[in-house]
Amino acid sequence: MIVHTLFPSTVCFFELDRNLTKREMNFIMKQKQKPNEGNKTSIDSNLLKSKTLKNLNCFIENSFQEYATNILRVKNNVKLDITQSWANFTKKGEYHHKHNHSNSFLSGVFYVQVEEDMDQIMFFKEGYSQIKLESRDFNVHNSDSWFFTVKSNQLAIFPSSLTHMVPPTDTEQRVSISCNTFPKGIIGDSNKLTGLSL
């Protein structure tokens, strides 16, 4: 048997090669919070535009560009602008509800403070299944959900349409920064009547 996987949803992980500075950590941890479904988020929804997080923002922007260049293989000079960014605060027993990100192309989650090998992000295959057969074991071909364990100073990037959630956490406080992007530049092809300048 020859197996091919068609049209995958690609999730990439990038490692920041340093720990966050005390100044960066203090800035994130002292953010004013508002209730979210299952946890809390920062009131500031442009967190990465702050001068304090300038270096972190640069790492995240470069990682989005690497995804666009190496995974999507974009051919025009297209830049992925971070349109919004906010902190998530999830205490023990809390969760981050099942959702996707509207009005965004690629989304990312940078893990500020998590418990390695315990904290997870879970993704879901959405859509109607006319016939559902029970599987004796699970793999990327037959699963409706899949999780990855995460660690601090790691960034996950994935299509914004990919549904995801954080199951209830066992750690005292899980902290992350989420962000959305949108392409800027020439997308499509004017010769094919699909050209669009953003």
Side-chain angles (χ1 to χ4, degrees):
M1 176 170 61
I2 298 173
V3 177
H4 298 279
T5 300
L6 291 175
F7 318 125
S9 292
T10 305
V11 179
C12 286
F13 288 90
F14 299 83
E15 305 286 335
L16 181 65
D17 61 359
R18 64 176 179 87
N19 291 325
L20 294 181
T21 65
K22 274 188 178 179
R23 189 164 177 257
E24 290 170 324
M25 283 296 286
N26 286 338
F27 177 80
I28 295 164
M29 300 305 273
K30 290 182 178 177
Q31 286 296 307
K32 291 182 180 175
Q33 301 174 23
K34 63 180 181 179
N36 189 25
E37 188 179 331
N39 63 356
K40 291 184 178 176
T41 61
S42 63
I43 291 173
D44 185 351
S45 64
N46 288 298
L47 213 59
L48 291 172
K49 289 187 178 177
S50 71
K51 288 183 181 178
T52 307
L53 298 183
K54 181 181 177 184
N55 291 333
L56 179 60
N57 183 62
C58 187
F59 162 74
I60 292 173
E61 281 184 336
N62 289 340
S63 299
F64 275 116
Q65 214 54 47
E66 189 176 337
Y67 187 110
T69 301
N70 296 325
I71 302 299
L72 302 179
R73 311 291 292 172
V74 294
K75 73 174 188 176
N76 295 327
N77 188 19
V78 175
K79 184 178 185 298
L80 293 176
D81 273 356
I82 295 175
T83 55
Q84 285 193 295
S85 53
W86 62 95
N88 307 291
F89 301 92
T90 310
K91 292 183 178 176
K92 191 170 185 176
E94 293 182 339
Y95 63 96
H96 202 144
H97 65 288
K98 191 175 176 184
H99 66 287
N100 51 33
H101 294 230
S102 299
N103 300 322
S104 177
F105 182 62
L106 293 177
S107 293
V109 184
F110 179 79
Y111 297 100
V112 175
Q113 178 180 290
V114 295
E115 191 70 41
E116 191 172 344
D117 298 326
M118 285 180 62
D119 278 312
Q120 306 171 353
I121 184 169
M122 183 174 280
F123 294 95
F124 297 88
K125 182 175 92 175
E126 297 288 298
Y128 168 67
S129 295
Q130 184 179 8
I131 296 173
K132 184 70 179 165
L133 303 176
E134 292 298 314
S135 301
R136 68 175 175 270
D137 50 48
F138 294 99
N139 57 48
V140 294
H141 304 287
N142 65 10
S143 294
D144 291 329
S145 64
W146 199 264
F147 75 85
F148 297 97
T149 56
V150 296
K151 58 185 180 179
S152 299
N153 301 316
Q154 186 179 58
L155 170 69
I157 294 178
F158 47 88
S160 299
S161 58
L162 189 57
T163 301
H164 56 286
M165 71 168 289
V166 174
T169 182
D170 285 329
T171 54
E172 289 306 313
Q173 181 168 240
R174 168 192 173 119
V175 182
S176 63
I177 295 175
S178 295
C179 53
N180 289 332
T181 65
F182 209 78
K184 187 175 182 181
I186 305 295
I187 65 172
D189 186 333
S190 58
N191 291 324
K192 297 177 182 175
L193 305 179
T194 61
L196 177 62
S197 180
L198 298 171

